[in-house]
Amino acid sequence: MMSVTSKSIDFVGKNLVYGGCFSNASFDRYTVRNYAKVNSKGFLGRGHGTSNSICCKKRSTQCRVSSIMNIVESTLNGGTQSIQGLTGLDLKSYSETPISSTQLFDVVADDLQMLNKNLQSIVGAENPVLMSAAEQIFSAGGKRMRPALVFLVSRATAELLGLNELTAKHRRLAEIIEMIHTASLIHDDVLDESDLRRGKKTVHQLFGTRVAVLAGDFMFAQSSWYLANLENIEVIKLISQVIKDFASGEIKQASSLFDCDVKLDEYLIKSYYKTASLMAASTKGAAIFSGADNSLSEKMYEYGKNLGLSFQVVDDILDFTQSAEQLGKPAASDLSKGNLTAPVIFALEKEPKLRDIIESEFSETGSLDEAIELVKGCGGIERAQELAKEKADLAIQSLQCLPQSVFRLALQDMVAYNLQRIA
């Protein structure tokens, strides 16, 4: 094992990035992520490789990452030593090596910065009221995870297929995805009568229900117009299905409130409609615009779908384990409204009393608190954690078709970051 700037990196063969079989190729993601972070902040531009410095000034992120990988590859001595992948993810190990959202998106920071600038002009700057409503969501502390997924998959697949830089269609797709996500949040808050989103007042609380509904409608319409202008029928169908899925998910949820006979499969279908569908479309669409074949784009779809399902399960666990202050909304809000999620579904299998409390719609004082304690006390949380890990494992397996790069590492870390929230 060789030392690179006092940080050890293990490799599996010399054709780490651009060739060979990728299924067993892995290296220490924390080391390379930190190494990438150092270089992304101008390390190469301070006398450590003049040509790289000039190149990076011109070509930003893509060149920056190529420089990192070239330096890493130059240290190889032909040795091979395998490192375990992320299958069989262990919650405890990831709680000991925390990942921040800032670290996750370091390698696409320039892309996200450009997206943030473009969103304001895209969301109809000619209509100040709608723009103010949308800005309330944009500025509410979101991590831009979905467009970040677009950029990460775009760069990971573009590198594989020989593209030097992202296309305008990659960037427009990321903007469309964020607009659709924002529109769905605005409408969700109206339907759920939520007063807070990430600790801030919701759009309908500030501007009224009428403006909130119109703002969401406008953003859906605006995103659809930009989607049509991409002139790719496969992507148009893919993203249009997402908007349909949102409505299907809301209808499915509304029709099963306080229904203690809801099955896990039904919960997962609803979770796919409401959360995973958009992530899956984001990752598959990104691969399509890189020119990926059907096999690769389907793998990226599976990655996004299973990551989205895992995220939703984790969110539903946190609804029971975190405080209102941590959540930015009331704790156990789904249960109180009769929306039964994975922890409750698992708990219902073991605790008959829980059924009686839920079917009474918490009519007695203190019954909601009692229901929460029953969910926690009979293994509902633990079994939901296992479900989140199962979907995370499937997401990781879908990345094995990609060559190793800082972008694939970030996609892997996205899975670990999610599980870290319940570690």
Side-chain angles (χ1 to χ4, degrees):
M1 196 183 323
M2 295 199 65
S3 175
V4 181
T5 60
S6 302
K7 295 179 181 291
S8 60
I9 306 176
D10 293 338
F11 295 94
V12 182
K14 188 161 177 82
N15 292 330
L16 187 63
V17 180
Y18 297 109
C21 175
F22 310 124
S23 62
N24 293 320
S26 62
F27 54 95
D28 188 331
R29 65 187 166 286
Y30 302 108
T31 301
V32 176
R33 187 183 63 219
N34 291 335
Y35 194 76
K37 184 176 180 181
V38 170
N39 283 279
S40 72
K41 297 190 183 305
F43 181 79
L44 291 175
R46 293 196 293 272
H48 297 270
T50 305
S51 62
N52 283 337
S53 173
I54 295 171
C55 176
C56 286
K57 289 177 182 176
K58 293 180 179 178
R59 294 179 59 188
S60 190
T61 304
Q62 179 65 31
C63 176
R64 185 170 66 213
V65 173
S66 297
S67 301
I68 297 162
M69 299 314 297
N70 288 339
I71 288 175
V72 169
E73 188 171 356
S74 71
T75 67
L76 294 173
N77 64 355
T80 60
Q81 182 171 347
S82 177
I83 291 182
Q84 290 288 331
L86 293 184
T87 52
L89 291 164
D90 178 69
L91 294 181
K92 185 174 184 295
S93 67
Y94 283 99
S95 68
E96 293 169 353
T97 51
I99 304 165
S100 72
S101 57
T102 303
Q103 287 175 316
L104 279 179
F105 304 147
D106 263 354
V107 291
V108 290
D110 293 344
D111 297 321
L112 289 171
Q113 187 175 13
M114 186 182 298
L115 174 130
N116 287 335
K117 289 179 180 177
N118 289 345
L119 279 174
Q120 291 188 358
S121 59
I122 286 173
V123 184
E126 75 280 358
N127 195 316
V129 175
L130 293 179
M131 188 59 213
S132 296
E135 185 62 25
Q136 176 66 13
I137 290 287
F138 288 146
S139 64
K143 295 179 285 295
R144 300 285 192 270
M145 186 181 75
R146 288 152 191 83
L149 279 174
V150 172
F151 292 134
L152 289 170
V153 172
S154 295
R155 290 197 176 277
T157 53
E159 185 173 71
L160 175 62
L161 295 163
L163 295 178
N164 291 325
E165 189 50 87
L166 300 189
T167 67
K169 290 186 175 182
H170 282 124
R171 297 191 183 281
R172 183 64 82 201
L173 176 64
E175 293 157 2
I176 290 168
I177 293 297
E178 184 64 6
M179 281 192 287
I180 290 173
H181 175 58
T182 301
S184 73
L185 294 182
I186 293 172
H187 281 178
D188 278 355
D189 288 338
V190 173
L191 290 170
D192 296 341
E193 299 179 343
S194 300
D195 296 334
L196 295 173
R197 161 78 58 182
R198 302 180 190 126
K200 293 189 176 183
K201 286 187 177 181
T202 53
V203 171
H204 71 90
Q205 276 290 308
L206 288 175
F207 301 96
T209 298
R210 182 183 178 86
V211 169
V213 171
L214 288 172
D217 288 348
F218 177 81
M219 294 187 73
F220 275 130
Q222 189 83 322
S223 63
S224 297
W225 187 84
Y226 280 110
L227 178 62
N229 279 275
L230 290 176
E231 298 182 343
N232 183 301
I233 192 64
E234 186 176 6
V235 174
I236 290 171
K237 287 181 177 179
L238 186 68
I239 306 300
S240 297
Q241 181 65 44
V242 170
I243 298 175
K244 177 186 172 186
D245 288 345
F246 281 149
S248 297
E250 289 296 343
I251 293 168
K252 202 166 187 65
Q253 179 171 300
S255 63
S256 60
L257 296 178
F258 297 102
D259 180 4
C260 292
D261 293 317
V262 66
K263 304 298 183 187
L264 183 64
D265 284 348
E266 295 175 88
Y267 160 79
L268 289 172
I269 290 170
K270 181 199 71 178
S271 298
Y272 170 78
Y273 285 154
K274 294 193 65 177
T275 303
S277 176
L278 181 59
M279 288 195 187
S282 302
T283 49
K284 182 177 180 178
I288 289 171
F289 283 137
S290 292
D293 61 21
N294 187 62
S295 174
L296 178 56
S297 61
E298 283 302 317
K299 287 289 186 183
M300 295 302 95
Y301 178 88
E302 289 297 314
Y303 167 79
K305 180 185 78 173
N306 286 300
L307 175 64
L309 290 173
S310 184
F311 255 88
Q312 186 59 59
V313 176
V314 168
D315 276 349
D316 292 338
I317 292 169
L318 295 177
D319 203 39
F320 287 93
T321 60
Q322 288 191 334
S323 66
E325 188 173 84
Q326 290 172 308
L327 292 168
K329 61 178 183 178
S333 58
D334 280 329
L335 179 59
S336 68
K337 295 169 184 174
N339 179 28
L340 308 189
T341 57
V344 181
I345 292 169
F346 286 128
L348 280 166
E349 294 176 7
K350 292 188 174 182
E351 183 50 75
K353 187 178 181 181
L354 182 60
R355 173 185 285 267
D356 295 335
I357 296 173
I358 292 171
E359 288 181 343
S360 75
E361 300 187 12
F362 311 112
S363 57
E364 296 183 14
T365 303
S367 58
L368 177 60
D369 291 335
E370 184 180 2
I372 293 170
E373 291 307 311
L374 288 173
V375 171
K376 292 179 178 179
C378 64
I381 302 297
E382 290 75 15
R383 289 186 64 189
Q385 287 177 330
E386 289 302 315
L387 178 61
K389 288 163 62 182
E390 175 189 319
K391 298 304 178 184
D393 282 344
L394 292 173
I396 289 296
Q397 289 171 29
S398 297
L399 295 176
Q400 301 306 309
C401 60
L402 295 175
Q404 281 289 7
S405 68
V406 288
F407 308 116
R408 173 175 158 175
L409 289 172
L411 290 168
Q412 291 177 178
D413 276 353
M414 187 89 78
V415 179
Y417 168 79
N418 177 49
L419 293 184
Q420 176 183 288
R421 298 190 296 153
I422 53 171

